[in-house]
């Protein structure tokens, strides 16, 4: 379990510690990854109404590139130098005619029924990518197959795995109780109401048991379909 204890290192954002490898992680680590189709399929909606669909072939046509980025979980573990292959979200939006914000907010929905809220300007930053590969290999069930939203300047809970839909919203969406709407790593927006200094230590203590349980859950739940 203690292989998941992160250590101090230079060059990390405030309050972050370095992890050697990227473990499976979640605030619900006892839940297995969802069963997903092999190919990406991203629905784009406006207030629930379907306005576009992007398939794996559509994303391929936008010429996926490698994006090097560090990853920062709110619980204070970071991994550095990851290579995500994919298309910037704003280019994917532009390919279906969305260049100005249809609405100020977005909600990303995942195969494990998570909803994660963004402001338009955070979601369309140039570093935000729709990734299909990590470090040269197709995403696996641990890290978010078949499509993952990667937002390196926000805490890891915004980098949603198993992405299936993005829904534009006129009103500010409710965010999950422990999540900040913006979650910017540089200014330590870890928690919506509590100050960062208060949550940092309890969060850090949760890292080894959480990663351990998340990895054990993965081993115990083999997919029934081919994946
Ligand atoms: N669909 C989905 N995405 C998710 C999560 C999750 O449980 N389900 N956990 C989030 C959290 S808290 C973190 S730190 C990262 C962990 O990514 P990893 O499991 O690839 O290390 O995924 C984020 N995205
Ligand atoms: Mo996280």
């Amino acid at each position: 379990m203690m292989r998941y204890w992160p250590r101090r290192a230079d060059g990390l954002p405030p309050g972050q510690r370095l992890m050697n490898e990227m473990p499976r992680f979640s605030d619900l680590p006892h839940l297995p990854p969802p069963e997903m189709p092999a190919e990406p399929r991203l629905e784009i909606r406006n207030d629930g109404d379907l306005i576009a669909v992007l398939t794996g072939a559509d994303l391929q046509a936008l010429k996926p590139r490698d994006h090097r980025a560090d990853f920062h979980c709110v619980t204070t573990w970071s991994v550095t130098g990851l290579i995500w292959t994919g298309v910037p979200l704003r280019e994917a939006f532009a390919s279906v005619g969305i260049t100005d914000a249809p609405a100020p907010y977005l909600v990303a929905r995942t195969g494990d029924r998570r909803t994660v809220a963004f402001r338009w300007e955070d979601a369309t930053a140039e570093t935000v990518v729709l990734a299909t590969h990590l470090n040269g290999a197709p995403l696996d069930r641990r890290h978010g197959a078949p499509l993952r939203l990667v937002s390196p300047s926000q805490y890891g809970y915004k980098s949603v795995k198993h992405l299936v839909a993005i829904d534009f919203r006129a009103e500010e969406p409710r965010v999950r109780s422990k999540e900040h709407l913006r979650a910017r790593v540089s200014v330590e927006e870890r928690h919506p109401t509590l100050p960062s200094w208060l949550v940092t230590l309890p969060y850090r203590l949760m890292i080894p048991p959480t990663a351990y349980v998340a990895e054990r859950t993965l081993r115990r739940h083999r997919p029934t379909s081919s994946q």
Side-chain angles (χ1 to χ4, degrees):
M1 200 159 98
M2 292 320 286
R3 68 193 278 199
Y4 302 123
W5 187 246
R7 58 189 164 80
R8 287 175 189 280
D10 292 335
L12 295 177
Q16 293 301 112
R17 302 281 174 91
L18 189 67
M19 196 92 110
N20 290 332
E21 59 187 301
M22 190 180 193
R24 178 165 186 260
F25 212 82
S26 174
D27 60 338
L28 300 171
H30 54 287
L31 296 183
E35 287 200 26
M36 297 293 295
E39 281 296 307
R41 183 177 187 278
L42 177 63
E43 296 185 347
I44 301 177
R45 294 177 176 269
N46 194 350
D47 205 17
D49 296 337
L50 190 65
I51 52 176
V53 175
L54 285 165
T55 64
D58 295 331
L59 294 172
Q60 204 57 42
L62 299 176
K63 301 201 170 26
R65 281 137 277 157
D66 288 351
H67 304 261
R68 192 186 174 88
D70 299 344
F71 187 94
H72 310 292
C73 173
V74 71
T75 62
T76 75
W77 64 264
S78 294
V79 286
T80 56
L82 301 175
I83 309 285
W84 301 99
T85 310
V87 174
L89 180 59
R90 63 181 187 187
E91 289 182 25
F93 282 156
S95 76
V96 293
I98 301 169
T99 46
D100 297 316
Y105 302 100
L106 298 70
V107 171
R109 196 161 55 78
T110 73
D112 50 356
R113 297 165 168 276
R114 251 167 215 257
T115 54
V116 176
F118 295 85
R119 291 206 343 203
W120 162 266
E121 60 268 41
D122 291 334
T124 54
E126 63 182 345
T127 51
V128 176
V129 171
L130 292 172
T132 55
H133 290 64
L134 171 58
N135 294 335
L139 286 172
D140 58 11
R141 40 201 290 274
R142 171 181 284 113
H143 293 305
L147 187 67
R148 181 172 193 164
L149 187 69
V150 178
S151 181
S153 67
Q154 297 180 288
Y155 285 117
Y157 53 75
K158 301 288 185 185
S159 285
V160 286
K161 306 192 277 190
H162 322 292
L163 179 69
V164 295
I166 291 176
D167 192 3
F168 287 98
R169 299 281 173 85
E171 305 291 329
E172 183 169 334
R174 276 233 220 125
V175 291
R176 292 152 53 94
S177 60
K178 288 175 298 184
E179 296 181 358
H180 193 289
L181 173 63
R182 305 206 66 191
R184 288 170 296 176
V185 174
S186 61
V187 289
E188 284 195 82
E189 288 167 335
R190 293 182 195 272
H191 193 279
T193 50
L194 299 174
S196 183
W197 62 264
L198 191 61
V199 297
T200 294
L201 183 59
Y203 275 0
R204 186 170 296 145
L205 294 171
M206 290 303 294
I207 296 171
T210 303
Y212 178 83
V213 171
E215 287 288 341
R216 191 186 60 185
T217 305
L218 191 72
R219 284 195 305 276
R220 286 186 177 173
H221 290 84
R222 302 269 172 225
T224 53
S225 58
S226 61
Q227 236 184 64

